[in-house]
């Protein structure tokens, strides 16, 4: 188990869609930081709450390992890594504590425009490119569909044109990426948004009070935005 700490550590995305709104939200909760020179670690000034700026994919693991206490991350990333852990028999190590009302998107199956979509039975024997292999594999298994999952870490939308997959399973926000690649969305696997993620078990040191306070402030700020 991780050693006791008296400062709270929150992981947020360093750059990308969730980076700015995550920081603004925490600022609205009354937090402020002295930015470190390398900008990966921000030392909390108003409260003993520090920020770690990382890749969003690393946030669930940082919470699981007890390196960070909270994280702001897409539900898609949290669910994917949770599903991957369950597939290899690891226990749940983090949970979504609050929806944050930004970063809304959907994890969707998308097929080439010319396909005549008739339903999931059409997926049998097909290759599906995705960065969300665990969620997709569970979804296919629940429906008894035998398709091949092709894992790609990025540029998933180009796979059908390259011939490395027949269709894709990826995040859709505005739909512009799909349209630009002559793909159309046909099934929704997950409705996602940014969430505040935390550990399954609250640490029993000075951080517990800070976490409770931050949750209270967050609830005030997020509810006012509605
Ligand atoms: C996601 C997804 C698509 C794009 C969809 O990528 O992989 O590329 O957003 O958005 P749209 O419907 O508004 O076009 P994202 O930019 O989150 O990051 P990544 O692909 O680099 O992981
Ligand atoms: Zn990512
Ligand atoms: Mg993308």
């Amino acid at each position: 188990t991780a050693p006791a700490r008296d400062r709270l550590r929150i992981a947020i995305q360093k750059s990308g869609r969730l980076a700015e709104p995550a920081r603004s939200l925490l600022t609205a909760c009354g937090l402020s930081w002295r930015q470190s020179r390398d900008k990966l670690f921000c030392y909390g000034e108003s409260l003993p709450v520090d920020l770690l700026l990382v890749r969003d994919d690393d946030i669930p693991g940082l919470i699981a390992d007890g390196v960070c206490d909270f994280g702001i991350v897409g539900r898609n990333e949290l669910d994917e890594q949770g599903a991957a852990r369950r597939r290899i028999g690891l226990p749940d190590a983090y949970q979504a504590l609050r929806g944050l009302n930004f970063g809304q998107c959907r994890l969707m199956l998308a097929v080439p425009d010319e396909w005549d979509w008739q339903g999931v039975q059409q997926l049998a024997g097909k290759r599906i490119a995705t960065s969300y292999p665990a969620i997709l594999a569970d979804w296919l298994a629940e429906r008894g569909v035998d398709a091949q999952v092709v894992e790609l870490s990025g540029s998933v939308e180009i796979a059908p044109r390259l011939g490395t997959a027949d269709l894709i399973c990826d995040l859709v926000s505005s739909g512009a990426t799909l349209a630009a690649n002559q793909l159309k969305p046909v099934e929704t696997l997950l409705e996602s948004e940014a969430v505040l993620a935390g550990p399954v078990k609250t640490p029993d040191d000075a951080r517990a009070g800070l976490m409770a306070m931050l949750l209270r402030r967050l609830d005030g700020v997020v509810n006012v935005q509605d």
Side-chain angles (χ1 to χ4, degrees):
T1 50
R5 278 192 273 116
D6 55 6
R7 299 183 66 86
L8 207 63
R9 250 182 239 151
I10 307 179
I12 64 169
Q13 195 183 33
K14 179 173 161 57
S15 61
R17 259 180 243 247
L18 305 183
E20 253 323 298
R23 219 181 157 106
S24 307
L25 180 62
L26 295 174
T27 300
C29 290
L31 302 183
S32 66
W33 308 273
R34 174 153 39 85
Q35 186 109 295
S36 76
R37 279 177 77 87
D38 61 7
K39 295 187 176 173
L40 296 177
F41 185 86
C42 304
Y43 187 83
E45 288 194 315
S46 53
L47 284 167
V49 180
D50 305 324
L51 273 193
L52 213 59
L53 308 190
V54 299
R55 288 199 47 191
D56 66 324
D57 314 46
D58 292 334
I59 293 175
L62 288 168
I63 299 172
D65 294 343
V67 175
C68 290
D69 307 298
F70 280 151
I72 295 180
V73 63
R75 191 183 296 281
N76 51 291
E77 199 58 59
L78 209 62
D79 280 12
E80 170 62 25
Q81 295 194 30
R85 287 179 66 97
R86 250 170 271 128
R87 290 191 143 247
I88 57 171
L90 289 176
D92 289 344
Y94 38 77
Q95 56 181 324
L97 298 170
R98 298 290 191 277
L100 300 178
N101 278 342
F102 65 88
Q104 284 85 357
C105 59
R106 291 175 168 170
L107 183 64
M108 301 190 80
L109 284 187
V111 303
D113 279 337
E114 62 273 16
W115 279 32
D116 174 22
W117 182 249
Q118 287 164 354
V120 292
Q121 70 283 352
Q122 219 173 325
L123 298 172
K126 294 288 194 285
R127 297 162 303 160
I128 312 176
T130 191
S131 306
Y132 298 88
I135 294 176
L136 176 58
D138 286 351
W139 189 88
L140 291 169
E142 277 163 27
R143 285 156 185 79
V145 176
D146 191 14
Q148 189 190 332
V149 176
V150 179
E151 183 175 356
L152 295 179
S153 57
S155 304
V156 169
E157 58 273 5
I158 204 173
R161 256 192 299 156
L162 294 180
T164 52
D166 302 298
L167 66 149
I168 71 169
C169 169
D170 199 12
L171 296 179
V172 182
S173 172
S174 66
T177 301
L178 292 188
N181 289 279
Q182 295 93 51
L183 298 167
K184 61 180 178 188
V186 292
E187 297 279 342
T188 299
L189 283 75
L190 175 75
E191 304 267 359
S192 185
E193 67 173 337
V195 299
L196 181 82
V200 173
K201 209 181 142 294
T202 304
D204 55 2
D205 56 31
R207 287 173 289 171
L210 283 169
M211 290 168 90
M213 182 191 67
L214 209 60
L215 282 172
R216 273 196 311 274
R217 291 192 182 184
L218 202 67
D219 287 340
V221 172
V222 172
N223 291 334
V224 166
Q225 286 172 345
D226 280 341

